[in-house]
Amino acid sequence: MFTGFRNSATSERERLRLDAAKYEVESTANAVLLAVQETFASILLRRAQLEVQQKSTELLQEELRNEEAKLRAGTVSDFNVLRAKVEVANSLTPLIRSRNELKLAREDLRRVLGLTSDKSGDSAIDVEGKLTFVPKIVDLQESIQTALKNRPELRRLKLLVEAEDQGITIAQSGFYPTLAATAGYRLQQ
């Protein structure tokens, strides 16, 4: 009947642990959402970088064609054509790097989403969207207060501390007397 508050403290401790587990699930969901948003933005960035590298290479190839035409016309030396060829060759390395980084970003999104690669190893996943920048003014103190109030990790830890406080009550219950009652009946003839 009375166990020195052990039963009520144990029940409260387990309730707090259950609530803490719910916050842990929320924290994990937030981490997954953040990872998806980051990899999505990474794909958009890598795609924009690839477009810039492609246009740069195309521009250098056009410059090479112009220098070759000028060489045929006799207005420039071989040096100008050679310089233009070197610039085109040098632009291919960043172009290849940009293509590979886009493939890796797509594969990273596939991994974050939990999708499996197809047998050919092709990352056919792509995203639609545009990379935009929206400036936002953030107040440091307000941000800290919002984080302290809303972060599920912090709420979870607070509940775990409260649960362990109940463990103190459970330990102290051994110093109280216990009261137990039993009842029974018997029929005799």
Side-chain angles (χ1 to χ4, degrees):
M1 295 193 103
F2 179 73
T3 57
F5 306 107
R6 175 183 296 270
N7 292 341
S8 62
T10 301
S11 175
E12 179 65 12
R13 180 179 65 180
E14 296 309 315
R15 185 194 63 76
L16 290 167
R17 286 182 177 173
L18 178 63
D19 290 344
K22 290 175 184 176
Y23 284 127
E24 186 173 5
V25 169
E26 183 181 344
S27 176
T28 302
N30 288 345
V32 169
L33 287 174
L34 177 62
V36 169
Q37 290 171 342
E38 286 177 340
T39 54
F40 180 86
S42 176
I43 289 175
L44 295 179
L45 176 64
R46 303 297 184 225
R47 190 167 55 199
Q49 289 173 335
L50 178 60
E51 289 172 10
V52 168
Q53 289 300 326
Q54 287 173 333
K55 288 180 182 180
S56 175
T57 302
E58 290 170 6
L59 181 65
L60 291 170
Q61 288 171 341
E62 181 64 30
E63 184 180 328
L64 174 62
R65 285 190 291 275
N66 289 341
E67 292 298 324
E68 288 172 339
K70 290 178 185 178
L71 178 65
R72 285 191 299 274
T75 59
V76 295
S77 68
D78 288 336
F79 177 75
N80 291 21
V81 173
L82 184 58
R83 181 192 52 78
K85 285 182 180 179
V86 168
E87 287 182 4
V88 168
N90 287 341
S91 74
L92 293 179
T93 301
L95 179 63
I96 292 168
R97 186 179 301 119
S98 293
R99 284 183 184 145
N100 289 340
E101 287 175 352
L102 179 59
K103 285 180 185 178
L104 289 174
R106 287 178 176 158
E107 195 58 38
D108 198 27
L109 180 62
R110 179 185 294 280
R111 180 191 55 79
V112 167
L113 293 175
L115 302 175
T116 58
S117 295
D118 57 3
K119 291 181 176 108
S120 68
D122 184 29
S123 296
I125 193 169
D126 201 7
V127 298
E128 291 183 16
K130 189 167 183 144
L131 194 60
T132 58
F133 173 71
V134 179
K136 185 175 181 179
I137 299 172
V138 180
D139 178 54
L140 178 62
Q141 292 303 319
E142 182 181 326
S143 298
I144 291 171
Q145 291 303 316
T146 303
L148 290 173
K149 178 181 165 192
N150 295 331
R151 290 296 301 250
E153 297 93 344
L154 297 176
R155 291 185 282 180
R156 175 182 164 268
L157 291 174
K158 183 179 180 220
L159 288 175
L160 289 175
V161 167
E162 291 177 18
E164 292 309 311
D165 286 345
Q166 293 300 316
I168 294 171
T169 304
I170 293 169
Q172 290 174 340
S173 69
F175 296 114
Y176 291 102
T178 58
L179 176 65
T182 58
Y185 70 93
R186 212 162 140 185
L187 287 175
Q188 284 188 343
Q189 290 182 342

